[in-house]
Amino acid sequence: MIKNIFKKGLVAITAATLLLTGCNAGGETTAKGSHSGPIENVPERFADGEGAKIKVIRKIGGDDHTAQFLAGAKEEGEALGFKVDVFTANGDSAKFHDAINQTLNQDYDGVIISHGDDAATVEGVEKLIESGKSVVTFDSIGDLAEVDGVTLTSQDDEELAKLALDQLVKEHNGEANIVYLWVDGFPPMVRRNNVYQETLKNNQGLNEIERFGVAAADTSVQTQNAVAAMLNKHPKGSIDAIFATWDAFAIGAARALKEAGREEIKIYGIDVSNADLQEISEEGSPWKYTAAVDPKLIGAVNLRLLAKKLAGEDTPQTYDLEAALISQDELQKSSEAVNMGNLSNVIEGWGQTDAFIEDWMTTLREHFKK
Protein backbone atom coordinates (compact mmCIF):
# COMPACT_ATOMS: atom_id res chain seq x y z
CA MET A 1 0.00 0.00 0.00
CA ILE A 2 2.77 2.46 1.00
CA LYS A 3 4.72 1.67 -2.18
CA ASN A 4 1.76 2.76 -4.31
CA ILE A 5 1.34 5.96 -2.35
CA PHE A 6 5.00 6.79 -2.74
CA LYS A 7 4.62 6.34 -6.51
CA LYS A 8 1.90 8.98 -6.46
CA GLY A 9 4.27 11.45 -4.85
CA LEU A 10 2.55 11.68 -1.50
CA VAL A 11 5.61 10.94 0.60
CA ALA A 12 5.12 13.82 3.00
CA ILE A 13 1.41 13.17 3.51
CA THR A 14 2.02 9.47 4.12
CA ALA A 15 4.80 10.12 6.63
CA ALA A 16 2.62 12.57 8.50
CA THR A 17 -0.29 10.13 8.49
CA LEU A 18 1.90 7.34 9.88
CA LEU A 19 3.17 9.59 12.64
CA LEU A 20 -0.28 10.82 13.61
CA THR A 21 -2.22 7.56 13.45
CA GLY A 22 0.43 5.01 14.39
CA CYS A 23 -0.36 2.93 11.29
CA ASN A 24 2.01 0.14 10.36
CA ALA A 25 3.06 -0.81 6.86
CA GLY A 26 -0.06 -2.93 6.45
CA GLY A 27 -2.33 0.01 7.12
CA GLU A 28 -3.56 -1.40 10.47
CA THR A 29 -3.64 0.63 13.64
CA THR A 30 -0.98 -0.61 16.02
CA ALA A 31 -1.59 -1.30 19.69
CA LYS A 32 -1.21 1.57 22.10
CA GLY A 33 2.39 2.11 23.07
CA SER A 34 3.76 -0.09 20.27
CA HIS A 35 6.39 0.88 17.73
CA SER A 36 8.25 -0.55 14.81
CA GLY A 37 11.32 -2.67 15.45
CA PRO A 38 12.13 -4.76 18.52
CA ILE A 39 10.25 -4.17 21.78
CA GLU A 40 12.77 -2.64 24.17
CA ASN A 41 13.44 -3.69 27.77
CA VAL A 42 11.88 -7.16 27.48
CA PRO A 43 13.53 -10.62 27.33
CA GLU A 44 15.12 -11.30 23.96
CA ARG A 45 12.71 -14.06 23.02
CA PHE A 46 9.76 -11.64 23.30
CA ALA A 47 11.44 -8.63 21.66
CA ASP A 48 10.10 -9.44 18.19
CA GLY A 49 6.50 -9.21 19.40
CA GLU A 50 5.74 -12.81 18.44
CA GLY A 51 5.07 -13.78 22.06
CA ALA A 52 4.60 -17.48 22.79
CA LYS A 53 2.10 -20.24 22.19
CA ILE A 54 0.65 -21.77 25.38
CA LYS A 55 -1.60 -24.77 26.07
CA VAL A 56 -3.58 -25.12 29.32
CA ILE A 57 -4.74 -28.69 30.04
CA ARG A 58 -7.04 -29.30 33.03
CA LYS A 59 -8.27 -32.72 34.13
CA ILE A 60 -11.38 -31.69 36.06
CA GLY A 61 -14.13 -29.47 34.62
CA GLY A 62 -17.81 -28.77 34.45
CA ASP A 63 -17.65 -26.20 37.25
CA ASP A 64 -17.32 -22.43 37.49
CA HIS A 65 -13.95 -22.73 39.27
CA THR A 66 -12.52 -24.39 36.15
CA ALA A 67 -13.99 -21.72 33.87
CA GLN A 68 -12.52 -18.93 36.03
CA PHE A 69 -9.09 -20.62 36.17
CA LEU A 70 -8.93 -21.05 32.40
CA ALA A 71 -10.13 -17.48 31.83
CA GLY A 72 -7.45 -16.13 34.17
CA ALA A 73 -4.66 -17.94 32.33
CA LYS A 74 -6.00 -16.98 28.90
CA GLU A 75 -6.51 -13.30 29.71
CA GLU A 76 -3.10 -12.96 31.38
CA GLY A 77 -1.36 -14.62 28.44
CA GLU A 78 -3.16 -12.61 25.79
CA ALA A 79 -2.34 -9.39 27.65
CA LEU A 80 1.33 -10.30 27.18
CA GLY A 81 0.84 -11.00 23.49
CA PHE A 82 0.73 -14.79 23.83
CA LYS A 83 -1.64 -17.19 22.09
CA VAL A 84 -3.34 -19.35 24.73
CA ASP A 85 -5.41 -22.47 24.00
CA VAL A 86 -7.35 -24.18 26.80
CA PHE A 87 -8.68 -27.71 27.22
CA THR A 88 -10.59 -29.47 29.98
CA ALA A 89 -11.06 -33.25 30.12
CA ASN A 90 -14.08 -32.99 32.47
CA GLY A 91 -12.62 -35.66 34.74
CA ASP A 92 -11.82 -38.13 31.94
CA SER A 93 -8.27 -39.45 32.57
CA ALA A 94 -7.93 -40.89 29.05
CA LYS A 95 -8.82 -37.57 27.43
CA PHE A 96 -6.53 -35.71 29.82
CA HIS A 97 -3.50 -37.84 29.02
CA ASP A 98 -4.32 -37.87 25.33
CA ALA A 99 -4.26 -34.07 25.35
CA ILE A 100 -0.83 -34.08 26.99
CA ASN A 101 0.50 -36.59 24.46
CA GLN A 102 -0.88 -34.61 21.54
CA THR A 103 0.76 -31.44 22.84
CA LEU A 104 4.15 -33.18 22.66
CA ASN A 105 4.02 -33.02 18.87
CA GLN A 106 2.47 -29.57 18.58
CA ASP A 107 4.24 -26.22 18.38
CA TYR A 108 3.48 -24.98 21.90
CA ASP A 109 6.26 -23.25 23.81
CA GLY A 110 4.78 -23.85 27.25
CA VAL A 111 2.12 -25.92 28.98
CA ILE A 112 0.07 -25.46 32.17
CA ILE A 113 -1.16 -28.77 33.62
CA SER A 114 -4.01 -28.64 36.15
CA HIS A 115 -5.11 -31.47 38.45
CA GLY A 116 -2.80 -34.17 37.12
CA ASP A 117 -3.05 -36.77 39.87
CA ASP A 118 -1.21 -39.91 38.77
CA ALA A 119 2.16 -41.36 37.72
CA ALA A 120 1.15 -41.05 34.06
CA THR A 121 0.97 -37.26 34.55
CA VAL A 122 4.56 -37.24 35.82
CA GLU A 123 5.67 -39.26 32.78
CA GLY A 124 3.78 -36.95 30.44
CA VAL A 125 5.30 -33.83 31.99
CA GLU A 126 8.79 -35.33 31.80
CA LYS A 127 8.26 -35.88 28.07
CA LEU A 128 7.04 -32.30 27.64
CA ILE A 129 10.21 -31.04 29.33
CA GLU A 130 12.38 -33.34 27.20
CA SER A 131 10.68 -31.96 24.07
CA GLY A 132 11.84 -28.47 25.05
CA LYS A 133 8.56 -27.11 26.42
CA SER A 134 8.30 -25.22 29.71
CA VAL A 135 5.78 -26.55 32.23
CA VAL A 136 3.87 -25.19 35.24
CA THR A 137 1.42 -27.42 37.12
CA PHE A 138 -1.47 -26.61 39.45
CA ASP A 139 -3.06 -28.80 42.14
CA SER A 140 -1.22 -31.83 40.82
CA ILE A 141 0.67 -34.82 42.19
CA GLY A 142 3.57 -33.79 44.43
CA ASP A 143 6.11 -35.86 42.50
CA LEU A 144 5.98 -33.18 39.77
CA ALA A 145 7.93 -30.83 42.02
CA GLU A 146 10.89 -33.20 41.58
CA VAL A 147 10.85 -32.91 37.78
CA ASP A 148 13.67 -30.56 36.79
CA GLY A 149 12.39 -27.20 35.59
CA VAL A 150 8.75 -27.70 36.66
CA THR A 151 6.93 -25.44 39.13
CA LEU A 152 4.09 -27.00 41.14
CA THR A 153 1.53 -24.44 42.31
CA SER A 154 -1.29 -25.01 44.78
CA GLN A 155 -3.93 -23.21 46.68
CA ASP A 156 -2.80 -23.32 50.29
CA ASP A 157 -5.01 -26.37 50.86
CA GLU A 158 -4.07 -26.79 54.50
CA GLU A 159 -5.02 -23.18 55.16
CA LEU A 160 -8.28 -23.51 53.16
CA ALA A 161 -9.34 -26.51 55.24
CA LYS A 162 -8.19 -24.91 58.50
CA LEU A 163 -10.09 -21.65 57.87
CA ALA A 164 -13.37 -23.49 57.20
CA LEU A 165 -12.97 -26.09 59.95
CA ASP A 166 -11.83 -23.61 62.62
CA GLN A 167 -15.00 -21.62 61.94
CA LEU A 168 -17.12 -24.78 62.20
CA VAL A 169 -15.49 -25.72 65.52
CA LYS A 170 -15.88 -22.18 66.86
CA GLU A 171 -19.57 -21.88 66.01
CA HIS A 172 -20.44 -25.29 67.46
CA ASN A 173 -18.18 -25.05 70.51
CA GLY A 174 -16.25 -28.11 69.36
CA GLU A 175 -19.31 -30.37 69.42
CA ALA A 176 -21.16 -31.26 66.21
CA ASN A 177 -22.45 -34.13 64.11
CA ILE A 178 -20.77 -33.68 60.74
CA VAL A 179 -21.34 -34.88 57.19
CA TYR A 180 -18.04 -34.93 55.29
CA LEU A 181 -18.22 -34.33 51.53
CA TRP A 182 -14.89 -35.42 50.09
CA VAL A 183 -13.35 -37.53 47.34
CA ASP A 184 -9.99 -39.27 47.51
CA GLY A 185 -7.35 -39.44 44.80
CA PHE A 186 -6.70 -35.73 44.18
CA PRO A 187 -3.64 -34.09 45.79
CA PRO A 188 -5.58 -31.06 47.11
CA MET A 189 -8.22 -33.37 48.58
CA VAL A 190 -5.55 -35.42 50.30
CA ARG A 191 -4.07 -32.28 51.86
CA ARG A 192 -7.49 -31.03 52.97
CA ASN A 193 -8.29 -34.43 54.43
CA ASN A 194 -5.10 -34.36 56.51
CA VAL A 195 -6.30 -31.17 58.19
CA TYR A 196 -9.78 -32.62 58.66
CA GLN A 197 -8.42 -35.72 60.38
CA GLU A 198 -6.24 -33.57 62.62
CA THR A 199 -9.26 -31.42 63.50
CA LEU A 200 -11.29 -34.50 64.49
CA LYS A 201 -8.39 -35.73 66.60
CA ASN A 202 -8.11 -32.42 68.44
CA ASN A 203 -11.87 -32.00 68.94
CA GLN A 204 -13.36 -35.17 70.38
CA GLY A 205 -16.81 -33.58 70.35
CA LEU A 206 -16.91 -33.69 66.55
CA ASN A 207 -18.67 -36.77 65.24
CA GLU A 208 -18.58 -37.76 61.56
CA ILE A 209 -21.84 -39.51 60.72
CA GLU A 210 -21.55 -39.74 56.91
CA ARG A 211 -18.90 -39.24 54.21
CA PHE A 212 -19.19 -39.48 50.46
CA GLY A 213 -18.27 -37.67 47.26
CA VAL A 214 -17.65 -38.15 43.55
CA ALA A 215 -15.69 -36.10 41.03
CA ALA A 216 -17.55 -35.97 37.72
CA ALA A 217 -18.84 -33.54 35.10
CA ASP A 218 -22.12 -33.40 37.08
CA THR A 219 -20.70 -33.46 40.62
CA SER A 220 -23.25 -30.92 41.94
CA VAL A 221 -26.21 -32.94 40.65
CA GLN A 222 -24.86 -36.22 42.01
CA THR A 223 -24.10 -34.57 45.35
CA GLN A 224 -27.60 -33.09 45.55
CA ASN A 225 -29.14 -36.52 45.01
CA ALA A 226 -26.81 -38.19 47.52
CA VAL A 227 -27.46 -35.59 50.22
CA ALA A 228 -31.23 -35.78 49.62
CA ALA A 229 -31.11 -39.57 50.11
CA MET A 230 -28.94 -39.21 53.22
CA LEU A 231 -31.33 -36.72 54.84
CA ASN A 232 -34.03 -39.38 54.80
CA LYS A 233 -31.89 -41.47 57.15
CA HIS A 234 -31.14 -38.67 59.60
CA PRO A 235 -34.07 -36.76 61.14
CA LYS A 236 -34.03 -33.06 61.89
CA GLY A 237 -31.67 -32.18 64.73
CA SER A 238 -29.32 -35.11 64.14
CA ILE A 239 -26.96 -33.27 61.78
CA ASP A 240 -25.33 -29.95 62.68
CA ALA A 241 -22.96 -29.21 59.84
CA ILE A 242 -21.60 -30.25 56.46
CA PHE A 243 -17.93 -29.79 55.62
CA ALA A 244 -17.67 -29.60 51.82
CA THR A 245 -14.13 -29.84 50.50
CA TRP A 246 -15.11 -28.55 47.04
CA ASP A 247 -17.66 -25.93 45.99
CA ALA A 248 -19.31 -28.38 43.58
CA PHE A 249 -20.15 -30.44 46.68
CA ALA A 250 -21.43 -27.40 48.57
CA ILE A 251 -23.70 -26.27 45.71
CA GLY A 252 -25.34 -29.70 45.52
CA ALA A 253 -25.68 -29.94 49.28
CA ALA A 254 -27.25 -26.48 49.56
CA ARG A 255 -29.88 -27.36 46.95
CA ALA A 256 -30.74 -30.62 48.72
CA LEU A 257 -31.01 -28.93 52.14
CA LYS A 258 -33.34 -26.22 50.80
CA GLU A 259 -35.57 -28.71 49.00
CA ALA A 260 -35.85 -30.78 52.17
CA GLY A 261 -36.40 -27.76 54.42
CA ARG A 262 -33.28 -28.64 56.39
CA GLU A 263 -31.55 -25.26 56.39
CA GLU A 264 -30.72 -25.73 60.07
CA ILE A 265 -27.72 -27.73 58.82
CA LYS A 266 -24.87 -25.30 58.16
CA ILE A 267 -22.41 -25.72 55.27
CA TYR A 268 -18.73 -24.83 55.58
CA GLY A 269 -17.12 -25.03 52.17
CA ILE A 270 -13.99 -24.51 50.09
CA ASP A 271 -13.62 -22.58 46.79
CA VAL A 272 -15.72 -19.78 45.35
CA SER A 273 -17.34 -18.70 42.08
CA ASN A 274 -20.13 -16.37 40.94
CA ALA A 275 -22.67 -19.16 41.43
CA ASP A 276 -21.30 -19.81 44.92
CA LEU A 277 -21.50 -16.15 45.92
CA GLN A 278 -25.09 -15.96 44.74
CA GLU A 279 -25.99 -19.06 46.75
CA ILE A 280 -24.21 -17.95 49.94
CA SER A 281 -25.74 -14.45 49.72
CA GLU A 282 -29.33 -15.68 49.56
CA GLU A 283 -31.39 -15.10 52.67
CA GLY A 284 -31.70 -18.33 54.64
CA SER A 285 -29.05 -20.19 52.64
CA PRO A 286 -27.45 -22.97 54.68
CA TRP A 287 -24.03 -22.23 53.16
CA LYS A 288 -22.48 -19.94 55.79
CA TYR A 289 -18.75 -19.85 55.02
CA THR A 290 -16.36 -20.73 52.24
CA ALA A 291 -12.56 -20.58 52.24
CA ALA A 292 -11.08 -19.74 48.88
CA VAL A 293 -8.41 -18.43 46.57
CA ASP A 294 -9.51 -16.45 43.51
CA PRO A 295 -9.47 -19.09 40.73
CA LYS A 296 -8.96 -16.45 38.05
CA LEU A 297 -5.90 -15.21 39.90
CA ILE A 298 -4.57 -18.77 40.11
CA GLY A 299 -4.71 -19.05 36.32
CA ALA A 300 -2.98 -15.67 35.95
CA VAL A 301 -0.17 -16.53 38.39
CA ASN A 302 0.46 -19.85 36.66
CA LEU A 303 0.75 -18.01 33.34
CA ARG A 304 3.19 -15.47 34.83
CA LEU A 305 5.39 -18.30 36.11
CA LEU A 306 5.34 -19.92 32.68
CA ALA A 307 6.28 -16.60 31.05
CA LYS A 308 9.27 -16.28 33.40
CA LYS A 309 10.40 -19.80 32.49
CA LEU A 310 10.16 -18.95 28.79
CA ALA A 311 12.23 -15.84 29.47
CA GLY A 312 14.92 -17.98 31.10
CA GLU A 313 14.32 -16.52 34.56
CA ASP A 314 14.45 -18.39 37.86
CA THR A 315 11.19 -19.81 39.24
CA PRO A 316 10.50 -21.74 42.45
CA GLN A 317 9.81 -25.49 42.56
CA THR A 318 6.58 -24.89 44.50
CA TYR A 319 4.30 -21.95 45.21
CA ASP A 320 1.17 -21.71 47.40
CA LEU A 321 -1.49 -19.06 46.84
CA GLU A 322 -2.86 -17.44 49.99
CA ALA A 323 -6.39 -18.30 51.11
CA ALA A 324 -9.19 -16.16 52.61
CA LEU A 325 -12.43 -16.91 54.49
CA ILE A 326 -15.68 -15.50 53.05
CA SER A 327 -18.74 -15.30 55.31
CA GLN A 328 -22.42 -15.05 54.51
CA ASP A 329 -22.73 -12.10 56.91
CA GLU A 330 -20.11 -10.11 54.99
CA LEU A 331 -21.81 -10.76 51.67
CA GLN A 332 -25.29 -9.92 52.92
CA LYS A 333 -24.10 -6.64 54.46
CA SER A 334 -22.82 -5.45 51.08
CA SER A 335 -24.81 -2.59 49.53
CA GLU A 336 -24.61 -4.31 46.11
CA ALA A 337 -24.85 -7.89 44.85
CA VAL A 338 -21.42 -9.46 45.28
CA ASN A 339 -19.74 -11.30 42.42
CA MET A 340 -16.19 -12.31 41.54
CA GLY A 341 -15.64 -8.89 39.99
CA ASN A 342 -16.40 -6.85 43.11
CA LEU A 343 -15.61 -9.36 45.86
CA SER A 344 -12.48 -7.31 46.62
CA ASN A 345 -14.84 -4.62 47.99
CA VAL A 346 -15.85 -7.12 50.68
CA ILE A 347 -12.64 -9.12 51.17
CA GLU A 348 -9.56 -6.90 51.41
CA GLY A 349 -6.87 -7.84 48.91
CA TRP A 350 -9.07 -10.37 47.11
CA GLY A 351 -7.97 -11.23 43.57
CA GLN A 352 -4.79 -9.18 43.79
CA THR A 353 -1.16 -10.19 43.94
CA ASP A 354 1.99 -8.86 42.38
CA ALA A 355 3.57 -12.31 42.60
CA PHE A 356 5.87 -12.94 39.63
CA ILE A 357 4.98 -9.68 37.87
CA GLU A 358 8.14 -8.30 36.24
CA ASP A 359 8.75 -4.85 34.74
CA TRP A 360 9.07 -6.43 31.29
CA MET A 361 5.59 -7.92 31.65
CA THR A 362 4.23 -4.41 32.23
CA THR A 363 6.08 -3.29 29.10
CA LEU A 364 4.49 -6.11 27.07
CA ARG A 365 1.06 -5.23 28.45
CA GLU A 366 1.46 -1.65 27.30
CA HIS A 367 2.70 -2.78 23.90
CA PHE A 368 -0.25 -5.10 23.29
CA LYS A 369 -2.91 -2.97 24.98
CA LYS A 370 -5.99 -2.76 22.77
Side-chain angles (χ1 to χ4, degrees):
M1 179 189 80
I2 291 179
K3 196 177 290 183
N4 292 335
I5 295 174
F6 269 108
K7 285 178 180 178
K8 293 177 183 176
L10 298 177
V11 179
I13 295 174
T14 303
T17 303
L18 286 171
L19 285 170
L20 289 170
T21 65
C23 285
N24 61 20
E28 297 172 352
T29 302
T30 56
K32 179 182 176 183
S34 66
H35 47 77
S36 60
I39 306 171
E40 296 180 358
N41 302 316
V42 302
E44 186 177 348
R45 75 165 296 157
F46 302 134
D48 61 4
E50 291 298 314
K53 191 174 178 183
I54 309 299
K55 183 68 174 284
V56 185
I57 304 172
R58 181 157 164 127
K59 184 173 182 177
I60 66 169
D63 61 321
D64 200 18
H65 191 280
T66 293
Q68 293 272 340
F69 170 83
L70 296 177
K74 191 171 179 68
E75 287 179 20
E76 192 78 0
E78 290 177 348
L80 300 178
F82 296 178
K83 184 180 188 307
V84 184
D85 295 327
V86 301
F87 171 82
T88 173
N90 286 321
D92 188 317
S93 289
K95 288 182 179 178
F96 174 70
H97 291 299
D98 187 49
I100 293 175
N101 290 331
Q102 286 181 21
T103 304
L104 275 170
N105 303 312
Q106 295 169 332
D107 62 343
Y108 291 103
D109 302 295
V111 186
I112 296 173
I113 302 289
S114 176
H115 290 82
D117 57 356
D118 53 18
T121 303
V122 179
E123 293 171 13
V125 168
E126 287 174 338
K127 289 177 182 176
L128 288 171
I129 293 290
E130 288 167 8
S131 73
K133 303 181 196 305
S134 297
V135 180
V136 174
T137 65
F138 169 63
D139 264 6
S140 295
I141 187 168
D143 293 350
L144 285 166
E146 305 304 316
V147 179
D148 191 35
V150 173
T151 295
L152 177 63
T153 68
S154 303
Q155 300 181 94
D156 190 337
D157 291 293
E158 288 83 3
E159 183 66 11
L160 285 169
K162 193 171 187 307
L163 284 169
L165 286 166
D166 283 356
Q167 193 64 37
L168 188 158
V169 170
K170 177 182 175 183
E171 293 198 332
H172 294 86
N173 297 314
E175 296 187 357
N177 290 331
I178 300 174
V179 173
Y180 183 38
L181 301 183
W182 175 77
V183 61
D184 201 357
F186 295 92
M189 291 295 178
V190 172
R191 292 190 288 269
R192 294 168 193 183
N193 183 60
N194 290 338
V195 176
Y196 174 71
Q197 297 302 335
E198 188 70 18
T199 302
L200 289 184
K201 181 180 172 184
N202 294 335
N203 296 274
Q204 298 297 314
L206 299 182
N207 177 36
E208 180 189 299
I209 59 173
E210 294 266 7
R211 78 158 63 187
F212 49 88
V214 61
D218 61 345
T219 292
S220 293
V221 174
Q222 291 198 41
T223 302
Q224 181 178 351
N225 293 337
V227 171
M230 177 207 69
L231 292 174
N232 291 328
K233 297 190 294 178
H234 301 280
K236 197 164 187 174
S238 61
I239 300 173
D240 299 300
I242 291 175
F243 175 43
T245 53
W246 182 17
D247 60 342
F249 291 151
I251 283 278
R255 290 171 183 162
L257 293 180
K258 286 193 287 188
E259 283 188 4
R262 297 288 296 273
E263 290 93 337
E264 83 281 357
I265 301 171
K266 307 307 179 192
I267 299 172
Y268 301 78
I270 290 177
D271 292 334
V272 71
S273 69
N274 283 319
D276 300 344
L277 290 170
Q278 184 177 345
E279 170 59 45
I280 298 168
S281 298
E282 284 184 8
E283 195 65 40
S285 172
W287 192 352
K288 298 300 181 183
Y289 292 88
T290 197
V293 178
D294 182 358
K296 197 168 185 180
L297 188 66
I298 299 169
V301 168
N302 275 259
L303 196 288
R304 292 174 198 167
L305 279 162
L306 193 56
K308 283 176 64 66
K309 289 181 184 295
L310 293 171
E313 297 182 354
D314 290 338
T315 52
Q317 282 186 302
T318 61
Y319 181 73
D320 286 342
L321 290 106
E322 191 175 344
L325 185 67
I326 302 165
S327 74
Q328 185 181 75
D329 281 348
E330 288 174 308
L331 299 181
Q332 290 181 345
K333 285 176 184 174
S334 173
S335 59
E336 58 183 351
V338 182
N339 54 44
M340 297 297 287
N342 63 16
L343 184 56
S344 57
N345 295 337
V346 177
I347 306 297
E348 186 177 351
W350 178 262
Q352 301 167 359
T353 180
D354 58 3
F356 309 112
I357 290 180
E358 305 296 340
D359 289 344
W360 58 262
M361 293 182 187
T362 303
T363 300
L364 286 176
R365 284 178 190 280
E366 285 299 314
H367 181 86
F368 292 105
K369 189 179 286 183
K370 295 175 180 176

